[in-house]
Amino acid sequence: MEDSPVSHVKNQQGFEIAKEAYAAVGVDVEAAILRADAIPVSMHCWQGDDVIGFDGSDSLSGGIQTTGNYPGRARTPEELRADIDKAISLIPGKTKLNIHACYAEKNGKAVDRDAYTIAEFENWLSWAKTGKIGLDFNPTYFSHPMMDGDFSLSSYDETKRRFWVEHGKRSLEIAGAFAAGTGQPCTVNFWMPDGYKDTCADTVKHREIMTRSLDEIFSTPYDKHAVLASMESKLFGLGVESHTVASHEYSLGYAISRKVLYTLDAGHFHPTEVISAKISAVLQFLDQILLHVSRGVRWDSDHVITLDDELQRIMDEIVWNNYDKRVFIGLDYFDASINRIAAWAVGMRNARKAILNACLAPVDAIRAAEYSGDYTARLARLEDRKTLPFGLVWAYYCETKGIAPDGAWLDEVKAYERDVLGRR
Ligand code: RNT
Ligand code: ZN
């Protein structure tokens, strides 16, 4: 409304209509926007270059796979940071960046993953400080000659096992430097592909070795408030279908007994299982957890997350249960068949939409129906919630944050593709 007397905001009129509709169901839209805006979402750096990194590998292994060959993949740290900057300019709210150890910048030095220090990540840290952005970290237990097939921390080869134990320790140290430098806690996600392609005869030995290795890593002194180590479970990997050392029960058990976090990846369970149903269950026994929000299509395919029922349920669980500080939200997908910056923007904007929509839900009324045993009203209110004018609030939120609204952001990506990606 250019001629609106109340504001210069284009979406002001729509916002006023939405505010009224939400007020009618007892929801304060302004408070919802403030809350949603402050919930951090960690954007994974690895969507920008198909999980390749800069420390020597030119292909991906370890049971995960990126498919597609869309032009414009970031080939250098500078290109990747430029692409990340572009993506972040299209995403409202508090964003963090999630970095894998394979994104080390060795600057010609002969240093390997068992000896990385903050020196190999200085450029990432100063980038984060400039943008006042928090960082998260991951040891990289894949795509490396010291992998023992698909085994790392649970390898029978003592030299290789020790290499990976050292890598874990270095990762906690680097995360400590990230936390100190940014003034924000840094999660460290431990995912190891360890396992067998075919039926194995001994399911115990590797698990015992894995436990010993992890215990060695976490015996290193680190600040447990600033560095939040987490164990990610998995059902199976590509070429690692029959036995997974760090399975769900293993990783959850380890996390609970050792008081580290547990990572729920949306693609790491049987296709009919959903992680939204697991959040409040595991939080009965853990203080904090980490999420890898992803979208598996028939398997752990890591498709770009869409604004689907499960994404909404995940965010509803976090917001409705006041888990804002207990659940760390990270995204984990990699699609090389479409513009990679659009892949980030779509997924991150969807995560933020679902968070905002969760904050806007008339949860008190819905729960009141449930507590009084009126399941008819519960169902009716849950369904009515779906047609509240959420889009008007989202458009207003984007505009007030200086972020391109739906319908406009893609033009910015297309221009960047023409001017930058197209020249690579
Ligand atoms: C693999 C895990 C893991 C990786 C990233 C790159 O199945 O989900 O989190 O996707 O670490
Ligand atoms: Zn994951």
Side-chain angles (χ1 to χ4, degrees), residues 26-41:
V27 173
D28 177 344
V29 174
E30 261 126 10
I33 290 177
L34 281 178
R35 181 176 178 197
D37 188 58
I39 295 177
V41 177

Side-chain angles (χ1 to χ4, degrees), residues 46 189 191 232-233 263-266 268 292 294 300 302 332:
W46 53 90
N189 184 60
W191 172 69
E232 181 176 16
S233 69
T263 303
L264 285 164
D265 183 309
H268 288 195
H292 272 187
S294 191
D300 181 29
D302 290 293
D332 182 18

Side-chain angles (χ1 to χ4, degrees), residues 193-211:
D194 297 43
Y196 283 115
K197 177 187 175 77
D198 216 338
T199 313
C200 63
D202 190 336
T203 62
V204 177
K205 255 190 153 110
H206 285 294
R207 290 199 165 123
E208 288 176 349
I209 298 173
M210 175 66 79
T211 306

